[in-house]
Amino acid sequence: MLMAVLSAKGNWYWWLLLPNIFMSMLCPVVSSALSSVTGKWDLPIFTLPFNILVYIHVAATGATHPYFPQVDIQPNHQLHPSNISIQSLNISQLLLSVPVGVGQVYGCDSPWTGGLILLALLLSSPIICFHAMLGSAAGMLAGFALAAPHVDIYSGLWGYNSALSCVAIGGVFYVLTWQSHLLAVICALFCAYMTAAIVKMMSMLALPACTWPFCLSTLIFLLISSEIQAICRLPLSVVSYPEENRRYQRRLKVSENAQHCQHSGSQEEAQMGENEVQSVHLVVEKSCTE
């Protein structure tokens, strides 16, 4: 999808299907290679194969390619334009940027598309839907705090990476508690700051940001070590949607409590058996003495 978005020939340039199919075929190869590396730390690969292959295609072709020209990405020297003011802020577009940010996960800048995606998320997992909106809103506010161009905020470019990060930390790879929920909000804000840095750096190389901010910020937050039991990262083999993750955690606690009770009961029985043996020895010794 992003290869079509970045193509200077438009969405209906059929020759683009050739590199598109080839890059899509390479996705499982790159995914398998990355999984062998991240699996050592029990980490997901997220959208790293997508980022790598899009960068390979864009860097290999460029804006002047005769057959597959790309959109010319200029260095972003106006990340903090001086003519931006609060008076020029459009509140309705600012509010619509929240669903637009969710829609930008799939390259869609329409609030209707973002609304439909949020509705689908609500039917699938209300927790994911809530954190997607929360992450998109956090990215929007961070973009506003960093004096980003309003047009970029309205188009959801500051929301989609933060939405993905907030969903990943807020219940998918961590069991949802108020502590992990707070961690998800912090990760979303951190992801927005990383978006600003990566957009500025990659624009120097005429490359888009893609979802590098989401991948890097979420991997950092998955690698943190904490002694707080409420911040519990699930093994990758049992990761599911947040509601199922909470049920799994409850079943695990019940199983651990049952094993603990059984172990305690076995210890009590063993102690009682030892007491009975000692009593028998005392009776025998007393009889022998008499």
Side-chain angles (χ1 to χ4, degrees), residues 229-249:
Q229 295 183 353
I231 301 179
C232 174
R233 183 164 76 89
L234 293 168
L236 201 58
S237 58
V238 301
V239 167
S240 182
Y241 57 96
E243 289 81 3
E244 179 60 29
N245 290 339
R246 287 175 62 86
R247 285 192 287 267
Y248 169 80
Q249 184 71 1

Side-chain angles (χ1 to χ4, degrees), residues 57-207:
H57 173 71
V58 174
T61 53
T64 59
H65 197 273
Y67 307 118
F68 308 110
Q70 305 299 312
V71 174
D72 191 14
I73 301 176
Q74 298 294 328
N76 196 345
H77 297 300
Q78 294 185 349
L79 186 60
H80 312 292
S82 58
N83 58 348
I84 294 297
S85 63
I86 298 179
Q87 287 75 17
S88 63
L89 192 65
N90 190 320
I91 301 299
S92 60
Q93 286 188 328
L94 193 65
L95 295 176
L96 287 176
S97 67
V98 175
V100 171
V102 178
Q104 281 287 11
V105 174
Y106 296 95
C108 302
D109 58 357
S110 169
W112 293 102
T113 307
L116 287 175
I117 293 173
L118 285 172
L119 178 60
L121 291 176
L122 180 63
L123 295 175
S124 174
S125 171
I127 295 177
I128 289 181
C129 178
F130 172 73
H131 280 88
M133 293 183 61
L134 184 64
S136 182
M140 174 263 293
L141 292 175
F144 183 67
L146 291 172
H150 289 174
V151 63
D152 291 346
I153 298 176
Y154 298 154
S155 60
L157 297 179
W158 280 81
Y160 70 96
N161 277 302
S162 295
L164 289 171
S165 295
C166 195
V167 167
I169 302 300
V172 175
F173 295 98
Y174 283 98
V175 178
L176 183 63
T177 58
W178 72 264
Q179 292 94 335
S180 62
H181 171 71
L182 182 61
L183 194 68
V185 176
I186 297 173
C187 182
L189 294 172
F190 175 70
C191 182
Y193 274 77
M194 187 168 287
T195 298
I198 290 180
V199 165
K200 197 166 185 177
M201 288 189 298
M202 292 305 174
S203 66
M204 302 294 180
L205 302 174
L207 292 172

Side-chain angles (χ1 to χ4, degrees), residues 216-234:
L216 296 178
S217 60
T218 307
L219 286 173
I220 289 173
F221 273 70
L222 288 179
L223 284 170
I224 63 174
S225 57
S226 173
E227 296 181 357
I228 302 175
Q229 295 183 353
I231 301 179
C232 174
R233 183 164 76 89
L234 293 168

